[in-house]
Amino acid sequence: MAADLDAQALEASRRLIAGAGNIMVLTGAGVSAESGVPTFRDAMTGLWSRFNPEELAQEDAYRRQPALVWEWYLHRRELVAATHPNPAHFAIAALAAQKAVTLVTQNVDGLHQRAGSPDAIELHGNLFANKWLDGCGHCDPATAVPGLPPRCAICGAMMRPGVVWFGEELPRVARYRAEHAAENCDLCLVVGTSGLVYPAAGMPGAAKDHGAHVIVVNPAPSALDQTADTVLRGPAGVVLPLLWGGAPAAPA
Ligand code: BJW
């Protein structure tokens, strides 16, 4: 067991989860840390260490330096493609097989889906998706002119990653489903997020306002500790399997 993990809080959480009717699980980058995916705010290593991820994840940055930002995303796609889901992803998929769980993720890495959670609600899009910036409506990825970034053969619009950058609206259906889950769950499990980015960071508070018990799982302090009824201090890949038992571990 992780050194800081409180055994009593763990046992109480285990009972709460076993007795819960509707569970919302909100995940952040920390759930993928044990897969080897750097968390968003620790992502910049090697050649990328001189850049600030919050500055690159913006439309303005992309318009100013499209090749740089596109390359950053290509680099991250390669990195994630070489990883696998870890026991935390598998544990969440196993919980959903036993109970009514709505999984809401801020992650763009697709690891929940690869672990067997096909209905993960992606609030911030997906790293492997593309869309067009200022497209003409007839832009077709099949005819895109390759480059950094690829461009529409008809209008020259730039392709961009299908993620949600700062200042952009979240996908409406995903946000609606997540807010509905927050307002209707009796237990909200918050795993591996710094709780700094809204509207996702507001959802555990909404769940609590509607009567849910909020459990935070994180090895380090987060902005959501003050919202939590229980904080379990440990890595997700260790703590989650302790909360409701083992999980199928077929590599994806
Ligand atoms: C472990 C671990 C282990 C380590 N186990 N844990 C209200 C108040 C203030 C500001 C705002 C507000 N509402 C909106 C804003 C503005 C802004 C915002 O929130 N800014 C804040 C920074 C202040 N929000 C937005 O701009 C959002 N849009 C919006 O609100 O639009 C309004 C609008 C309406 C109508 C029309 C138009 C606009 C959009 C937010 C989009 C966020 N996108 C990103 C980038 C995605 C693409 C990419 O990846 O490149 O999403 S930012 C980045 O942060 C990414 C993440 O999903 C998100 C959250 O990060 P996360 O997951 O918490 O990661 P980290 O790295 O911060 O933390 C990791 C945690 O894991 C740590 O706590 C570790 O301890 C822990 N950990 N190992 C468990 N083993």
Side-chain angles (χ1 to χ4, degrees):
M1 197 184 294
D4 294 341
L5 195 47
D6 175 334
Q8 266 185 330
L10 188 70
E11 185 49 38
S13 302
R14 205 183 274 157
R15 277 199 296 270
L16 277 166
I17 291 166
N22 289 302
I23 302 177
M24 172 182 178
V25 180
L26 173 67
T27 64
V31 82
S32 297
E34 290 152 84
S35 292
V37 181
T39 59
F40 186 77
R41 284 168 182 75
D42 284 337
M44 304 316 231
T45 55
L47 290 175
W48 295 99
S49 58
R50 65 199 168 92
F51 298 101
N52 175 348
E54 295 206 3
E55 281 170 14
L56 290 190
Q58 302 201 19
E59 188 183 311
D60 273 5
Y62 192 53
R63 288 188 186 279
R64 271 186 276 109
Q65 303 186 79
L68 173 82
V69 176
W70 185 257
E71 278 196 277
W72 182 47
Y73 280 93
L74 290 184
H75 160 73
R76 290 172 59 201
R77 284 177 184 180
E78 278 177 23
L79 197 153
V80 168
T83 66
H84 298 282
N86 67 56
H89 299 107
F90 287 120
I92 292 168
L95 182 67
Q98 299 163 32
K99 304 205 62 104
V101 170
T102 304
L103 171 58
V104 179
T105 188
Q106 300 171 83
N107 297 347
V108 297
D109 58 28
L111 286 172
H112 283 302
Q113 291 86 338
R114 286 168 58 192
S117 297
D119 198 28
I121 298 171
E122 294 182 316
L123 289 179
H124 296 162
N126 191 288
L127 187 57
F128 296 94
N130 288 319
K131 55 189 184 184
W132 297 97
L133 189 68
D134 307 327
C136 60
H138 303 287
C139 306
D140 179 357
T143 60
V145 180
L148 286 174
R151 289 180 180 269
C152 170
I154 302 167
C155 69
M158 295 192 290
M159 203 174 253
R160 56 156 284 184
V163 298
V164 181
W165 283 327
F166 284 111
E168 294 183 329
E169 198 173 359
L170 271 56
R172 279 195 195 163
V173 173
R175 181 171 177 176
Y176 172 81
R177 289 182 66 203
E179 287 174 346
H180 181 81
E183 291 168 11
N184 291 283
C185 66
D186 44 26
L187 183 78
C188 177
L189 186 59
V190 182
V191 187
T193 178
S194 56
L196 295 173
V197 176
Y198 287 81
M203 293 179 185
K208 190 174 171 123
D209 290 346
H210 284 78
H213 186 100
V214 177
I215 300 176
V216 162
V217 177
N218 199 313
S222 81
L224 288 169
D225 290 2
Q226 59 204 23
T227 304
D229 298 291
T230 308
V231 176
L232 298 175
R233 196 62 81 216
V238 173
V239 175
L240 300 192
L242 290 173
L243 284 172
W244 56 83

